[in-house]
Amino acid sequence: MNKVGVIFDLDGVIVDTAKYHYLAWKELADHLGFSFTKEHNELLKGVSRDRSLEILLDIGKVSISEADKQAYLKSKNEAYLKYIYKMDDGEILPGAEALLNTLDKLKIPYVLGSASKNAPLILKQVHLIDRFKGIIDGNSVNKAKPDPEVFLIGAQTLNLDPKNCIVFEDAIAGIEAANRAGMISVGIGDKETLSAADFNFSDLKEIPENFFNQFINQ
Ligand code: B16
Ligand code: MG
């Protein structure tokens, strides 16, 4: 029996929702009167919603009350959801479905480990929700990545030792979380940016089917 399992990050690995986060955060920055660029948006990848707002306010050098923060978190999410409701299967990133098919064939179980509180909705929109053995998301954790909590709950859901879990991640904070959890980390995206990962691929299409052979039946 296989002793390994996989934990997938969502944004940047299975789908690209960063572009919608960008549009929604930009709307808020415009409202607050400062510019928020795509480069700024890079800083928010893999970061929790609350922390993203803190970073955005730092960029604009804006200080607001706790009540306003809560109101802006709500309005930003409402703006973001307008884009999410328009998503469909066409937005699944190249190679993702083929990789899930490979894992099914190899009988390697997989769960989601995302910072997003919208993860179940996004997976529903792209019709992938029924494929995952479990969804661990921003609603399931107390501590955001780079804390390993989300992935450690993922290992429990898979009923596997952390060292036998392979994490696919596109964000520095996510790779750090996987490494701190004692898991096998796979960086998806820029190799230099994700140099702390155990393995690197520019996208999921690049992963050869025999990649998993080194971990199974050992
Ligand atoms: P939400 P991931 C993360 O998703 C995004 O990369 C990050 O930009 C976002 O702030 C975070 O989810 C929270 O998302 O506002 O939907 O709860 O990469 O961990 O799948
Ligand atoms: Mg991500």
Side-chain angles (χ1 to χ4, degrees):
M1 203 190 96
N2 282 330
K3 289 269 173 29
V4 295
V6 169
I7 307 178
F8 285 100
D9 176 51
L10 179 61
D11 175 29
V13 175
I14 304 286
V15 288
D16 174 23
T17 43
K19 57 183 184 243
Y20 303 133
H21 282 296
Y22 169 65
L23 293 171
W25 285 125
K26 188 174 168 349
E27 219 175 280
L28 175 58
D30 288 346
H31 170 78
L32 292 170
F34 62 89
S35 111
F36 178 71
T37 65
K38 288 194 172 157
E39 286 67 42
H40 289 142
N41 196 55
E42 290 299 309
L43 303 171
L44 310 186
K45 285 191 175 171
V47 170
S48 73
R49 194 183 306 172
D50 292 16
R51 180 74 194 121
S52 295
L53 178 63
E54 299 293 341
I55 296 171
L56 182 105
L57 294 173
D58 277 354
I59 290 166
K61 300 190 176 41
V62 172
S63 169
I64 57 173
S65 70
E66 190 49 43
D68 280 349
K69 278 185 195 168
Q70 292 310 317
Y72 287 140
L73 285 171
K74 190 162 175 280
S75 61
K76 181 270 168 178
N77 197 50
E78 284 164 1
Y80 174 68
L81 287 179
K82 284 191 193 138
Y83 299 107
I84 300 306
Y85 282 120
K86 289 187 195 141
M87 287 180 82
D88 62 20
D89 323 19
E91 296 208 36
I92 299 170
L93 285 172
E97 276 184 293
L99 182 56
L100 299 187
N101 293 342
T102 298
L103 293 172
D104 288 344
K105 200 169 83 185
L106 296 171
K107 299 201 178 346
I108 296 177
Y110 47 87
V111 296
L112 194 85
S114 165
S116 175
K117 292 183 174 169
N118 297 302
L121 170 67
I122 295 166
L123 284 182
K124 259 186 225 147
Q125 289 297 120
V126 300
H127 301 113
L128 285 181
I129 191 145
D130 294 331
R131 299 197 62 168
F132 289 80
K133 194 176 149 75
I135 293 172
I136 304 94
D137 63 12
N139 303 295
S140 331
V141 296
N142 295 313
K143 289 173 246 154
K145 301 169 190 175
D147 190 280
E149 185 183 14
V150 63
F151 294 142
L152 290 172
I153 300 174
Q156 281 167 13
T157 308
L158 288 165
N159 208 9
L160 287 172
D161 202 278
K163 71 176 187 322
N164 294 324
C165 294
I166 306 163
V167 175
F168 288 88
E169 251 293 349
D170 73 310
I172 297 171
I175 294 295
E176 188 183 332
N179 290 344
R180 280 168 64 181
M183 298 179 175
I184 300 152
S185 55
V186 184
I188 304 298
D190 183 53
K191 198 180 156 105
E192 307 302 313
T193 310
L194 304 173
S195 59
D198 296 319
F199 297 88
N200 291 87
F201 296 98
S202 43
D203 60 38
L204 296 183
K205 283 201 310 283
E206 254 195 15
I207 300 170
E209 205 173 306
N210 66 9
F211 174 70
F212 297 97
N213 291 356
Q214 60 192 307
F215 308 115
I216 54 184
N217 301 323
Q218 33 181 350

